[in-house]
Amino acid sequence: MYGSEALADMGRGLAASIKNRMGDPLRRSADALIIGTGLTSLLGLAFWALAARWLPTEAVGVGAALMSTVTLLANIATLGMRNGLLRFLPAAGSGTLRLIITCYAVCAGAAMLAAGIFLAGQPVWAEKLGFLREGPLAVLAFVLGTAVWVIFVLQDQVLIGLRRTGWVPTENGISSVLKIAALPMLASAAAWAVFAATVLPAVLAVLFVAALVLRFARQAAALDPRPAAEARVPLARLVRFAAPDHAASLLWFATTDVLTLIVLHVAGAEASAYWFIANTVGYSLYLVTSNVGSALIAESVHDPGHANAHARRALAHSAQLVVPAAIAGILLAPLVLHLMGPHYAENATGALQLILASAIPQLFVGIGISMARVRGHMGTVLGVYAFTAAATWAGSWFALERWGLTGIGAVILINQSLIAIFLLCSGRSGLWEDARGWRSFPAAVAGLPRAWRQRRNAARSRRLVAPALAACGLPETSQTRLLTSDSDTLVLAASGAEGDVVVKIAISAAASRGIDLHAAAVQGLAAKLDGDLAALLPRVLHSATVDGNRVLAESRMPGVPATEVPGGATVAGAVLATMGRIHAATGRLRDIDEELLADWIDGPVAAIRQVYGLPGAAAKLDRLSAELHRAWLGRQVLTGYVHGDLWPGNVLVGGEPGEPCVGGIVDWENARATGLPDTDMVHWWLTTQPGELGDAVLEALQRPEGVRSGLARLGVELPNGSLEIEHVVLQTWLWHIAAGLARASTNRVGLLWLARNVGPVVRLFETDSPKTATGGLR
């Protein structure tokens, strides 16, 4: 019984997994292309195995050379339209059919011209193919066959671009089966047998797909509200895309072909055979990423608003297939090559293993190149392939003489890794918005612990939510939803008898302290505020202890986080004006004395010193502390209740577009009853700048007037305008870092976070006279 239930659960899980995959257009298209490639490869292998049995050896050799020629000419004649169709068809709408016909006509004409040129020079470069010029019918068959083949090549891209990728393995599979079926019937055609058995099924496939395309194009036109003239893809735009892309594709094909010639010239024919097998097997994993990349282009053009998300999903999907296959291939490489002969295993194993390993960094390269095509960054596409060709040829020539075929594998692995690092660190990977340039990759890496914490918190919430709800007087059947949190506190939205509530569950002693500080802050501040300002604070409804940690239920404030509201400047102005009213309501003049400095500066600096222990860091932190002591001691300032973590995620906003109103201000665990109100305003400004806080602070210290002018544009006048803005920025940064260190003991900040947010600021204090780009803090 238990076994049958387990099998039933496995079946349901498998069915759900398949349903999810089929419901995702990107993964569905990618899987169809991968299946199609695998099916075509297997049937192609069967075709050549049967041809070797049914045809004379000479006919097989001539037929293979002839089809290699047709394939080469067709690839040249695509003129960059393979990716051009992928790039422009998904958005062509009523111009779909015109674009397809134009591409077919231009490429077919180019194929016939290329075939004619080849025939003209055939006695020079292909003496064994002289039968192609035996008569008008032979010439016509070769020229038209090449034209048909280029359309056969392009029609896969047409189906992908129309988001009908499921037809690709179908038509390729049927064509491959017909090839095998036609072969014995055409065996008497001698040298023409392979050509006829390949091209005639392609003619049927082209006619079949043309009927499908006509129907799909009409459907796309019917759904497009634009007039045909507006939907038409400008020829100049298509050429600007296709020309560099075609050059890049030719470079990629040449990279492998020239490399084979290098091996033949330097190491001889046997080494060339070993290399060919190793490269053919290893390159199969590159095709997986290539197929996923084709699906990615179509989906991203169709849905450009989520292009970066599509790229990340495409990378994950490719990695799920490529990484396990690469690892398995590396382990099994000697056995696979031994099947072809002991000499292959002896001479090609190292090269194959390194090529398989290179498929892992090539994941980032393949996805990055696909996204460059989506964005029209053709310089990136051409540059990557040009570097790949030059580095592979030069590096392989050098490595082959010293380390043999294994050296070539190492060159390929190094090249792919270098390109992947470049794309990631230059902001050209397509995985994130590239406005931050090189910062996008480190920022994403720094965000990995946050994503992992959120997944772990989701698992913890399932275990802790029931006792927490019971402790707060809420029924266990309450509907709950986990909200985002970067600390050791699980935050859930729930429904109770008193309306919508937020439940905070501490999972560490640090989080328990934070919950208590938050509760004390909102209750203490509410006693000082009246009317609409008091209504901006959450009300504490219940407080309890579960398993030694604090649990809090509070009223849920109206509105949505300001991070989700458009109109940044208008929203920021409304938020900061509201916060200014709270500062004014709780403000009082005070002289800054040593007691206040111990709270404002000495405590936070001591907390940073405990975790930031690089050589010389203590002396730099002492200089930073001395600088703020010198700037603040004896000054009379307006103090007041400060939030301490004022950023768009902690403010809820409602109202009409263009007229936002603040509905609530939450998460007061970093609040100070006697704080510097200016820091809330500066904190908002810093956290709304691109990149990490450390970068924004460094920029503010180097260009302090940018902070004042930025706040002025938001309608903000700092309460203590006589203070140097550099020192306010430093004080804001100091409180932010100290709060980040104190809010968690389980989900601690990592070394990368410290390096990006603490290091750039501390390094300014190398000497006793701290300097910035504008002349210094003094």
Tab-separated table of all heavy atoms in Angstrom, residues 531-555:
chain	number	residue	atom	x	y	z
A	531	GLY	N	-3.321	62.963	15.525
A	531	GLY	CA	-4.072	62.977	14.275
A	531	GLY	C	-3.485	62.115	13.179
A	531	GLY	O	-3.164	60.942	13.379
A	532	ASP	N	-3.335	62.740	11.980
A	532	ASP	CA	-2.935	61.967	10.804
A	532	ASP	C	-1.519	61.429	10.911
A	532	ASP	O	-1.197	60.393	10.328
A	532	ASP	CB	-3.076	62.820	9.549
A	532	ASP	CG	-2.167	64.053	9.579
A	532	ASP	OD1	-1.924	64.573	10.678
A	532	ASP	OD2	-1.718	64.470	8.501
A	533	LEU	N	-0.636	62.078	11.677
A	533	LEU	CA	0.723	61.567	11.813
A	533	LEU	C	0.743	60.288	12.638
A	533	LEU	O	1.453	59.333	12.314
A	533	LEU	CB	1.626	62.623	12.454
A	533	LEU	CG	1.954	63.852	11.590
A	533	LEU	CD1	2.875	64.798	12.350
A	533	LEU	CD2	2.606	63.434	10.278
A	534	ALA	N	-0.027	60.246	13.712
A	534	ALA	CA	-0.099	59.027	14.528
A	534	ALA	C	-0.681	57.864	13.729
A	534	ALA	O	-0.315	56.699	13.940
A	534	ALA	CB	-0.927	59.285	15.781
A	535	ALA	N	-1.593	58.177	12.784
A	535	ALA	CA	-2.226	57.128	11.974
A	535	ALA	C	-1.254	56.478	10.996
A	535	ALA	O	-1.559	55.427	10.422
A	535	ALA	CB	-3.407	57.713	11.209
A	536	LEU	N	-0.085	57.082	10.812
A	536	LEU	CA	0.900	56.521	9.901
A	536	LEU	C	1.702	55.385	10.538
A	536	LEU	O	2.469	54.704	9.845
A	536	LEU	CB	1.881	57.604	9.438
A	536	LEU	CG	1.276	58.778	8.659
A	536	LEU	CD1	2.352	59.816	8.369
A	536	LEU	CD2	0.640	58.294	7.368
A	537	LEU	N	1.532	55.191	11.838
A	537	LEU	CA	2.307	54.178	12.543
A	537	LEU	C	1.468	52.920	12.736
A	537	LEU	O	0.264	52.989	13.040
A	537	LEU	CB	2.747	54.695	13.911
A	537	LEU	CG	3.518	56.018	13.928
A	537	LEU	CD1	3.786	56.441	15.364
A	537	LEU	CD2	4.818	55.882	13.157
A	538	PRO	N	2.062	51.741	12.585
A	538	PRO	CA	1.317	50.512	12.882
A	538	PRO	C	1.016	50.419	14.374
A	538	PRO	O	1.795	50.880	15.219
A	538	PRO	CB	2.284	49.402	12.433
A	538	PRO	CG	3.640	50.024	12.462
A	538	PRO	CD	3.442	51.471	12.139
A	539	ARG	N	-0.133	49.840	14.710
A	539	ARG	CA	-0.525	49.641	16.119
A	539	ARG	C	-0.149	48.227	16.533
A	539	ARG	O	-0.447	47.258	15.845
A	539	ARG	CB	-2.029	49.843	16.299
A	539	ARG	CG	-2.492	51.265	16.107
A	539	ARG	CD	-4.003	51.393	16.351
A	539	ARG	NE	-4.774	50.614	15.392
A	539	ARG	CZ	-5.426	49.498	15.677
A	539	ARG	NH1	-5.392	49.006	16.921
A	539	ARG	NH2	-6.118	48.860	14.744
A	540	VAL	N	0.509	48.115	17.692
A	540	VAL	CA	0.852	46.799	18.227
A	540	VAL	C	-0.408	46.174	18.799
A	540	VAL	O	-1.057	46.731	19.687
A	540	VAL	CB	1.945	46.916	19.306
A	540	VAL	CG1	2.212	45.551	19.943
A	540	VAL	CG2	3.225	47.487	18.712
A	541	LEU	N	-0.789	44.997	18.281
A	541	LEU	CA	-2.009	44.316	18.706
A	541	LEU	C	-1.729	43.215	19.724
A	541	LEU	O	-2.456	43.068	20.698
A	541	LEU	CB	-2.711	43.717	17.476
A	541	LEU	CG	-3.051	44.705	16.343
A	541	LEU	CD1	-3.638	43.969	15.147
A	541	LEU	CD2	-4.024	45.770	16.857
A	542	HIS	N	-0.696	42.436	19.475
A	542	HIS	CA	-0.352	41.338	20.380
A	542	HIS	C	1.165	41.174	20.384
A	542	HIS	O	1.826	41.398	19.384
A	542	HIS	CB	-0.990	40.015	19.937
A	542	HIS	CG	-2.489	40.049	19.873
A	542	HIS	ND1	-3.281	39.946	20.984
A	542	HIS	CD2	-3.309	40.196	18.811
A	542	HIS	CE1	-4.550	40.018	20.615
A	542	HIS	NE2	-4.590	40.177	19.299
A	543	SER	N	1.680	40.741	21.526
A	543	SER	CA	3.105	40.449	21.657
A	543	SER	C	3.252	39.211	22.511
A	543	SER	O	2.572	39.074	23.541
A	543	SER	CB	3.857	41.633	22.282
A	543	SER	OG	5.234	41.345	22.405
A	544	ALA	N	4.106	38.281	22.087
A	544	ALA	CA	4.246	37.025	22.820
A	544	ALA	C	5.630	36.463	22.576
A	544	ALA	O	6.439	37.012	21.814
A	544	ALA	CB	3.172	36.023	22.376
A	545	THR	N	5.926	35.366	23.261
A	545	THR	CA	7.182	34.648	23.088
A	545	THR	C	6.883	33.213	22.709
A	545	THR	O	6.066	32.546	23.361
A	545	THR	CB	8.018	34.673	24.376
A	545	THR	OG1	8.310	36.040	24.719
A	545	THR	CG2	9.333	33.926	24.181
A	546	VAL	N	7.533	32.736	21.629
A	546	VAL	CA	7.356	31.362	21.160
A	546	VAL	C	8.745	30.747	21.007
A	546	VAL	O	9.585	31.285	20.278
A	546	VAL	CB	6.604	31.308	19.816
A	546	VAL	CG1	6.542	29.867	19.308
A	546	VAL	CG2	5.203	31.883	19.961
A	547	ASP	N	8.988	29.649	21.704
A	547	ASP	CA	10.289	28.967	21.642
A	547	ASP	C	11.441	29.911	21.983
A	547	ASP	O	12.519	29.845	21.395
A	547	ASP	CB	10.519	28.344	20.263
A	547	ASP	CG	9.565	27.197	19.975
A	547	ASP	OD1	9.032	26.613	20.941
A	547	ASP	OD2	9.350	26.896	18.784
A	548	GLY	N	11.205	30.824	22.932
A	548	GLY	CA	12.249	31.727	23.377
A	548	GLY	C	12.443	32.964	22.524
A	548	GLY	O	13.269	33.812	22.852
A	549	ASN	N	11.711	33.089	21.427
A	549	ASN	CA	11.852	34.253	20.551
A	549	ASN	C	10.549	35.038	20.483
A	549	ASN	O	9.460	34.480	20.681
A	549	ASN	CB	12.277	33.821	19.143
A	549	ASN	CG	13.705	33.321	19.094
A	549	ASN	OD1	14.582	33.893	19.733
A	549	ASN	ND2	13.934	32.245	18.358
A	550	ARG	N	10.662	36.308	20.163
A	550	ARG	CA	9.511	37.206	20.192
A	550	ARG	C	8.650	37.057	18.943
A	550	ARG	O	9.133	36.791	17.841
A	550	ARG	CB	9.985	38.649	20.297
A	550	ARG	CG	10.818	38.921	21.530
A	550	ARG	CD	9.998	38.820	22.789
A	550	ARG	NE	9.074	39.944	22.916
A	550	ARG	CZ	8.041	39.959	23.763
A	550	ARG	NH1	7.773	38.897	24.528
A	550	ARG	NH2	7.274	41.032	23.848
A	551	VAL	N	7.340	37.246	19.164
A	551	VAL	CA	6.355	37.270	18.085
A	551	VAL	C	5.494	38.509	18.287
A	551	VAL	O	5.108	38.820	19.416
A	551	VAL	CB	5.480	35.998	18.075
A	551	VAL	CG1	4.389	36.109	17.023
A	551	VAL	CG2	6.325	34.760	17.825
A	552	LEU	N	5.215	39.216	17.213
A	552	LEU	CA	4.459	40.458	17.303
A	552	LEU	C	3.401	40.491	16.214
A	552	LEU	O	3.673	40.131	15.068
A	552	LEU	CB	5.409	41.657	17.123
A	552	LEU	CG	4.771	43.051	17.195
A	552	LEU	CD1	4.482	43.412	18.642
A	552	LEU	CD2	5.718	44.083	16.587
A	553	ALA	N	2.195	40.896	16.580
A	553	ALA	CA	1.130	41.147	15.611
A	553	ALA	C	0.793	42.630	15.658
A	553	ALA	O	0.600	43.195	16.736
A	553	ALA	CB	-0.104	40.309	15.924
A	554	GLU	N	0.757	43.276	14.489
A	554	GLU	CA	0.442	44.696	14.425
A	554	GLU	C	-0.505	44.956	13.260
A	554	GLU	O	-0.658	44.119	12.354
A	554	GLU	CB	1.715	45.527	14.254
A	554	GLU	CG	2.467	45.253	12.967
A	554	GLU	CD	3.774	46.020	12.887
A	554	GLU	OE1	4.309	46.420	13.938
A	554	GLU	OE2	4.284	46.195	11.760
A	555	SER	N	-1.150	46.099	13.299
A	555	SER	CA	-2.090	46.442	12.237
A	555	SER	C	-1.354	46.596	10.920
A	555	SER	O	-0.208	47.050	10.874
A	555	SER	CB	-2.819	47.748	12.587
A	555	SER	OG	-1.887	48.812	12.752
